[in-house]
Amino acid sequence: MPSTSFDFDSGPDTRSPQAVLWDMDGTLIDTEPYWLVAEAELVASHGGTWTEEQGLALVGSALPNSARVLQEAGVQLPVREIIDLLSTQVVAGLRKEIPWRPGARKLLAACKAANIPQALVTMSERSIVNEFLDQLPAGTFQVSVTGEEVANGKPDPEPYLTGLRLLEDAVGNELSAQKCIGFEDSVPGIASASAAGLHAVLVPNATDPGEGNWRRIASLDGVDVQEMTRWLVQVSA
């Protein structure tokens, strides 16, 4: 969703992040409970059993991969139909309430106010993403990448590399991945952001990927543009 209002020449301080790329589920909004319930109910409707541990193991995964795991658990439906059923239930949840993660909404607004371009990079599909984007201030994100729009989902770097390329097109300027921040909460997601060369930042939620080639913070609450700028300065020093 390109934004025609972004003016790179009047953009952020050159020391601040060139761009911020965001995961959605579990990072910006706590939709993981929606997914866990939808998966469990779908498996149960086909006579199978599904544990919370099995659901958590799918957090952050590409939806076709998750659908195939659900098939192995007894869901006798095609992959496409499984994805559509799960997505419909998640959309229904979002229409009732958008469960923001602590500090996420404020940091989105702060980046927008600082004229830092932002991309949404998620394995959810366009039907869910549009439901979310429709409830945000116009111009919050310059571009968005969804699960069905890439050949290889997270943990492959393709989703974030695609987000970077689309942002470059949107702002009309080349971006350095190392000067862009990618926020994630899951094992596949943080691996994807890190592999794409971003300054990857882990904010654990339903699962905890632990330590790795990324920055780890407890919460987005209290993070601002100045703090993100300090992260990049520390790395380049």
Side-chain angles (χ1 to χ4, degrees):
M1 48 175 292
S3 169
T4 57
S5 63
F6 185 83
D7 180 3
F8 192 85
D9 291 334
S10 62
D13 186 298
T14 55
R15 296 168 299 175
S16 63
Q18 290 184 352
V20 178
L21 293 84
W22 294 91
D23 171 54
M24 185 179 74
D25 297 291
T27 301
L28 281 173
I29 53 177
D30 197 8
T31 50
E32 302 303 355
Y34 294 160
W35 288 104
L36 293 171
V37 169
E39 292 159 1
E41 290 182 352
L42 183 58
V43 172
S45 71
H46 285 260
T49 58
W50 188 252
T51 66
E52 182 178 4
E53 288 71 24
Q54 287 174 295
L56 291 174
L58 299 184
V59 170
S61 297
L63 287 176
N65 294 340
S66 297
R68 285 186 280 271
V69 173
L70 292 169
Q71 286 177 328
E72 294 172 0
V75 178
Q76 299 176 10
L77 294 172
V79 166
R80 181 68 258 169
E81 190 169 346
I82 292 174
I83 293 173
D84 289 343
L85 287 169
L86 296 177
S87 297
T88 296
Q89 192 159 336
V90 173
V91 166
L94 288 176
R95 287 177 177 170
K96 294 178 181 178
E97 177 188 7
I98 292 187
W100 286 97
R101 294 285 294 146
R105 198 169 192 172
K106 184 176 181 180
L107 187 52
L108 277 179
C111 290
K112 182 176 183 292
N115 213 22
I116 298 174
Q118 299 184 92
L120 187 67
V121 182
T122 176
M123 290 296 90
S124 286
E125 294 198 343
R126 184 57 60 183
S127 60
I128 298 174
V129 171
N130 285 345
E131 190 70 33
F132 175 54
L133 295 179
D134 286 346
Q135 301 188 50
L136 296 180
T140 298
F141 291 103
Q142 278 61 59
V143 301
S144 56
V145 180
T146 64
E148 77 272 35
E149 295 169 354
V150 293
N152 302 292
K154 301 172 185 178
D156 193 274
E158 182 184 348
Y160 279 102
L161 292 175
T162 301
L164 281 171
R165 176 176 53 79
L166 292 176
L167 275 177
E168 288 180 333
D169 291 342
V171 304
N173 203 70
E174 185 175 350
L175 300 174
S176 169
Q178 293 179 338
K179 295 180 180 179
C180 299
I181 290 176
F183 284 109
E184 272 285 356
D185 73 303
S186 69
V187 173
I190 199 66
S192 175
S194 180
L198 298 173
H199 185 92
V201 180
L202 172 68
V203 192
N205 186 9
T207 61
D208 189 346
E211 303 295 336
N213 188 30
W214 47 75
R215 182 179 296 274
R216 178 188 173 95
I217 61 174
S219 172
L220 292 169
D221 196 22
V223 176
D224 56 19
V225 173
Q226 290 72 28
E227 178 70 12
M228 292 190 296
T229 300
R230 284 194 289 271
W231 295 344
L232 298 179
V233 170
Q234 289 169 2
V235 171
S236 62

